[in-house]
Amino acid sequence: MEIHEALYTTRMMRRLRPDPIPLDTQARILDAAVRAPNGGNTQRWHFLAVDDPELKRALAQLFREARAVEYEKFAGGMGPMAAPAPGADPTQHAETMRRIKGSGDYLADHFEDVPLLLFVFAIDDLGGANIYPAIWSALLAARAEGVGGVMTMVLRNVEDRISEMLGVPVADGWKMSAMLALGYPRGIWGVAANRRPVQEVSSRNRWGTPFGVDVPEPPWPHDYLAPDLATVG
């Protein structure tokens, strides 16, 4: 797959088929992840793959609990996505969040059917500088394999119980960074259409100074449809 196709069409996919992901495919995804840059090449990461049905059922209950806590925060106006970013359209933000909640509801309702849960742990991660490149590499590699996925941090609301359930050696400093739900998507890949253009979110040399070029349309030539988040995300 050409790199720009992967970059432009890798989306968070929450509606996933239950079909298992072959082990050799999983291996290629994780091998791409461990090639990601990280500070001092210390590789302070650990990837825990979960595909045991009984364990997934137990984790599903925790996911639903943790998600309920998250939406209580949203209802109270708290959390990183409760309000639109400065300059963004509040109406569009509300609609986007409605659609994301819909696809998130689907994930919560079908959590047990997700073929692969990939828990990502790190030590002394400096705000994610070391682990997030690896996570994004995993998602891009998955895209190249036709595998969709979504990164979620909602389970950090019940991290102690997750760590106990999975036998994580927390005394050694390991902390959960995120979880990836991975599977073959039910929807279509597509270039995101609801993005503010480069010139609206970029400056040059000093905040607020024009970036210097307008990008009215994606410069990557493509014939992908802009997908509906209500059916794809």
Side-chain angles (χ1 to χ4, degrees):
M1 174 176 287
E2 197 267 332
I3 188 170
H4 285 90
E5 181 178 0
L7 288 169
Y8 271 77
T9 65
T10 299
R11 303 176 58 81
M12 296 295 103
M13 296 287 201
R14 299 174 181 85
R15 292 179 171 87
L16 305 170
R17 304 203 309 264
D19 312 59
I21 302 172
L23 284 178
D24 59 342
T25 301
Q26 296 182 32
R28 288 192 293 272
I29 291 170
L30 281 178
D31 193 68
V34 301
R35 307 298 164 180
N38 62 100
N41 196 30
T42 54
Q43 304 175 57
R44 294 185 173 192
W45 48 41
H46 189 87
F47 304 87
L48 200 164
V50 174
D51 56 10
D52 177 76
E54 183 176 349
L55 186 52
K56 286 195 293 182
R57 281 192 291 271
L59 288 165
Q61 294 304 315
L62 288 182
F63 181 81
R64 291 167 189 141
E65 286 183 35
R67 193 163 178 269
V69 170
E70 198 73 5
Y71 275 92
E72 283 181 14
K73 294 179 184 177
F74 289 162
M78 298 179 291
M81 296 184 293
D89 181 354
T91 302
Q92 185 180 71
H93 174 77
E95 176 62 15
T96 298
M97 294 307 297
R98 184 190 67 79
R99 292 184 176 189
I100 289 175
K101 184 180 185 301
S103 61
D105 289 344
Y106 184 96
L107 176 61
D109 292 342
H110 297 82
F111 194 90
E112 297 92 335
D113 299 328
V114 174
L116 182 64
L117 305 175
L118 186 62
F119 288 83
V120 185
F121 298 87
I123 295 178
D124 299 333
D125 194 32
L126 302 175
N130 293 321
I131 199 61
Y132 291 122
I135 288 173
W136 189 232
S137 288
L139 288 168
L140 289 172
R143 169 69 183 94
E145 300 281 349
V147 174
V150 61
M151 179 182 75
T152 176
M153 300 178 184
V154 71
L155 283 169
R156 296 203 296 195
N157 288 323
V158 290
E159 183 172 357
D160 291 346
R161 294 160 68 188
I162 292 290
S163 295
E164 181 179 0
M165 185 178 292
L166 299 179
V168 179
V170 293
D172 295 337
W174 291 102
K175 291 184 66 64
M176 180 171 59
S177 299
M179 186 206 76
L180 307 184
L182 297 172
Y184 296 99
R186 294 183 180 276
I188 60 173
W189 306 101
V191 178
N194 60 339
R195 293 293 192 271
R196 296 167 65 191
V198 169
Q199 63 272 15
E200 288 188 13
V201 296
S202 307
S203 302
R204 188 175 301 279
N205 298 323
R206 187 176 178 85
W207 189 287
T209 302
F211 176 66
V213 62
D214 287 355
V215 188
E217 297 290 339
W220 174 65
H222 66 87
D223 56 4
Y224 278 89
L225 297 174
D228 181 354
L229 285 176
T231 59
V232 177

